[in-house]
Amino acid sequence: VHLVIIGGSDAGISAALRARELDRMAEITLVVGDAYPNFSICGLPFYLSGEIADWRTLAHRTQEEIEAHDIRVLLNTWAEAIDPPAHRVTVRTPDGHRHELAYDRLVVATGAVPIRPSLPGLDDPRVFLLHSMDDSFRLHAFLTEKVPQSAVIVGAGYIGLEMADALTHRGIQVTLIEQAEHVLPTVDPDFGAQLDEYLQSHGVTVMTGSRVRALEKADQGVQVVGEPDWQITADLVLVVVGVAPNTDLAVRAGIVTGVRGAIRVDRQMRTNLPDIWAAGDCVETYHRLLDTNTYLPLGTTAHKQGRVAGENMLGGDRVYEGSLGTQVVKVFDWAVGRTGLKASEARSAGFLPRTARLTTWDHKVYYRGATPLTVSITGDENTGRLLGGQILGHWQGQVAKRLDILATALYHGMTVDGLNDLDLSYTPPLSSPWDPVQMAAQQWMISSHGGNT
Ligand SMILES: Cc1cc2nc3c(=O)[nH]c(=O)nc-3n(C[C@H](O)[C@H](O)[C@H](O)COP(=O)(O)OP(=O)(O)OC[C@H]3O[C@@H](n4cnc5c(N)ncnc54)[C@H](O)[C@@H]3O)c2cc1C
């Protein structure tokens, strides 16, 4: 059986490796449009900050390690067309030649492309997007050769925040522009407001409720013009306003798309066409709590979906169990994360959400290094079911571990009360006999008797 996988990042590699685990004999070909198979683009902000000296270390696996699994890797090879009835893919090789690859089964894992807002001036060489390795090399060259002193970052999602940290780390004066009321709109506004202040305490100028209208050439640098009525000149501008599924190839082949133009897949990652699966940032994502498809492009999701596709293309019946939107980001010395639904999202989905919030120490305060940790828990008033949680604290305060307790509980449909029954680990330097997550659950239970927050 000949398996062809288009895309050599998280989803494509996961599909290839799973297929190889299940079938020693299958011919597996990975068609990779760039020269960087299996690179951790999630690590790009840390390369650009200067904290990671050598970009090569960002490889989850080297090309040789992938090939050691007897997977054929075609680098700098662009899939131009899929012919589903003929089971063929037309590819353009690095020397510009075109030829056809026959497949028995195909996975489309073409990922996402950064959104390019329709702003005049976006093509200025001092304006950057950040998604691929090549994007990062361009920005890295500018940072090291031109040594900019000031930067405007448009978009304060998690990549915008990581890059505000990264560029500040390089000694650059950063202005962060966000059209929403607070940075990181994926968390509740009060967490966002704390982050606004925290970023400013680290020298970042935060402009929320602001919209960029145009980028103009200035005598020195780029002038960023926006609403309501402001302009800033900076040596470089980074535009990070989200991603869109990269589906051009799939659409031309007759593959159906859905939410936000992402490829429509069933929970086995099958597309509408026979023998074609799809996974990763190019597809819709089943949301476990909402029981519907959404678009949640994340590396964690792409790995799992790729693995499901890799298994099913060899006759398996693995189901993608769904995302909860679990995500964590480190900004300077803080980490902030969320899982499940925010109260506003839960309300729109027909739940009756209530949120309790608690600030305590990450571990027993008598042991050195204790730091404050805020845990927010949202549960359903009608059923007591846990709907979501958010945590903000020091990045070494085990924010992610605690968020993952909530994610695990959500996966299993637990109640808020049920969190108290979990047998969690404890030693004074790391936690308390009741973990902060359980204290927040108790707070939620108390507030159900009249003390709503
Ligand atoms: C700066 C940054 C930080 C991030 N941080 C995190 C994080 O902390 N946590 C997290 O979970 N996620 C993070 N993400 C998101 C995560 O990186 C993506 O969700 C993940 O890479 C998606 O993997 P993918 O395989 O679906 O697609 P992509 O990584 O987009 O890869 C697509 C692949 O398809 C290839 N391709 C596309 N079209 C063609 C074609 N026609 N022919 C041949 N090849 C083609 C490309 O060359 C590439 O190999 C981050 C992303 C960025 C940019």
Side-chain angles (χ1 to χ4, degrees):
V1 56
H2 189 187
L3 312 177
V4 172
I5 296 161
I6 304 172
S9 187
D10 296 348
I13 296 284
S14 298
L17 291 173
R18 182 62 181 148
R20 174 55 74 227
E21 279 170 17
L22 296 172
D23 187 340
R24 297 306 312 161
M25 304 306 291
E27 275 181 56
I28 305 175
T29 304
L30 266 177
V31 181
V32 188
D34 58 29
Y36 313 103
N38 211 191
F39 267 72
S40 173
I41 54 176
C42 306
L44 293 180
F46 313 104
Y47 161 56
L48 292 166
S49 70
E51 291 163 277
I52 292 167
D54 184 354
W55 60 267
R56 290 170 198 83
T57 60
L58 292 179
H60 289 299
R61 278 174 206 80
T62 61
Q63 182 181 350
E64 293 69 36
E65 284 166 337
I66 302 163
E67 287 171 340
H69 293 275
D70 201 14
I71 293 168
R72 187 159 69 123
V73 183
L74 306 178
L75 294 187
N76 292 311
T77 302
W78 194 251
E80 288 193 333
I82 304 168
D83 182 344
H87 280 53
R88 281 174 185 279
V89 179
T90 306
V91 297
R92 194 181 65 236
T93 54
D95 58 12
H97 287 102
R98 289 187 173 76
H99 68 91
E100 293 198 331
L101 283 177
Y103 67 82
D104 295 310
R105 287 157 217 164
L106 179 73
V107 175
V108 177
T110 46
V113 285
I115 291 174
R116 292 175 63 86
S118 53
L119 287 176
L122 200 67
D123 292 331
D124 189 294
R126 295 159 299 185
V127 177
F128 298 86
L129 304 178
L130 180 62
H131 188 73
S132 63
M133 293 302 295
D134 281 333
D135 291 339
S136 79
F137 296 145
R138 271 193 294 277
L139 179 51
H140 190 265
F142 189 86
L143 291 171
T144 49
E145 287 159 21
K146 307 282 185 206
V147 196
Q149 302 298 305
S150 58
V152 165
I153 300 177
V154 184
Y158 75 96
I159 296 176
L161 295 192
E162 288 179 339
M163 286 307 299
D165 179 335
L167 297 183
T168 304
H169 192 85
R170 292 190 87 101
I172 297 173
Q173 172 58 52
V174 175
T175 302
L176 184 59
I177 297 175
E178 168 59 48
Q179 63 180 10
E181 202 186 330
H182 298 292
V183 302
L184 202 63
T186 45
V187 296
D188 283 334
D190 58 335
F191 272 31
Q194 285 187 61
L195 282 165
D196 294 348
E197 275 181 29
Y198 182 64
L199 284 155
Q200 300 197 45
S201 75
H202 278 264
V204 176
T205 304
V206 177
M207 291 174 53
T208 52
S210 302
R211 230 188 139 80
V212 175
R213 227 178 39 226
L215 308 169
E216 294 168 358
K217 278 193 175 43
D219 285 348
Q220 291 207 321
V222 182
Q223 179 160 279
V224 185
V225 181
E227 288 158 9
D229 199 21
W230 51 264
Q231 48 202 45
I232 307 162
T233 304
D235 297 334
L236 93 92
V237 177
L238 177 64
V239 178
V240 277
V241 292
V243 296
N246 179 16
T247 57
D248 184 42
L249 173 73
V251 168
R252 280 189 281 111
I255 294 175
V256 169
T257 56
V259 180
R260 299 213 1 222
I263 295 173
R264 177 156 296 163
V265 283
D266 66 12
R267 290 186 57 193
Q268 296 191 318
M269 309 313 297
R270 269 190 306 240
T271 68
N272 61 308
L273 295 181
D275 299 323
I276 306 184
W277 285 257
D281 281 7
C282 59
V283 305
E284 292 183 341
T285 297
Y286 174 70
H287 195 291
R288 195 172 173 85
L289 283 174
L290 298 174
D291 189 28
T292 185
N293 281 359
T294 54
Y295 185 59
L296 278 169
L298 281 172
T300 45
T301 308
H303 275 93
K304 292 187 197 83
Q305 293 177 335
R307 194 173 161 85
V308 169
E311 183 161 335
N312 292 343
M313 73 198 296
L314 281 165
D317 59 0
R318 174 74 66 169
V319 166
Y320 175 64
E321 293 292 353
S323 299
L324 295 162
T326 310
Q327 201 182 358
V328 67
V329 58
K330 173 183 172 294
V331 192
F332 298 109
D333 283 337
W334 278 12
V336 58
R338 65 161 279 175
T339 184
L341 305 175
K342 295 197 289 187
S344 55
E345 292 164 342
R347 201 166 295 111
S348 313
F351 294 102
L352 186 58
R354 183 163 48 78
T355 299
R357 193 161 290 116
L358 175 101
T359 299
T360 181
W361 298 102
D362 71 308
H363 63 259
K364 292 308 298 180
V365 71
Y366 57 73
Y367 190 86
R368 67 172 182 269
T371 52
L373 191 80
T374 302
V375 181
S376 144
I377 299 257
T378 299
D380 185 31
E381 193 86 80
N382 287 329
T383 60
R385 182 177 167 194
L386 177 67
L387 295 174
Q390 297 178 15
I391 307 186
L392 188 156
H394 191 274
W395 73 284
Q396 287 171 321
Q398 307 219 30
V399 169
K401 164 200 143 164
R402 291 176 162 126
L403 196 69
D404 292 342
I405 296 171
L406 295 177
T408 308
L410 283 168
Y411 180 98
H412 290 289
M414 287 178 62
T415 60
V416 176
D417 190 30
L419 285 171
N420 286 306
D421 299 326
L422 293 174
D423 180 21
L424 304 179
S425 58
Y426 163 57
T427 179
L430 294 176
S431 187
S432 295
W434 290 111
D435 188 84
V437 160
Q438 294 173 312
M439 294 186 214
Q442 289 165 11
Q443 180 74 29
W444 192 88
M445 296 304 295
I446 295 166
S447 64
S448 75
H449 305 300
N452 283 10
T453 54

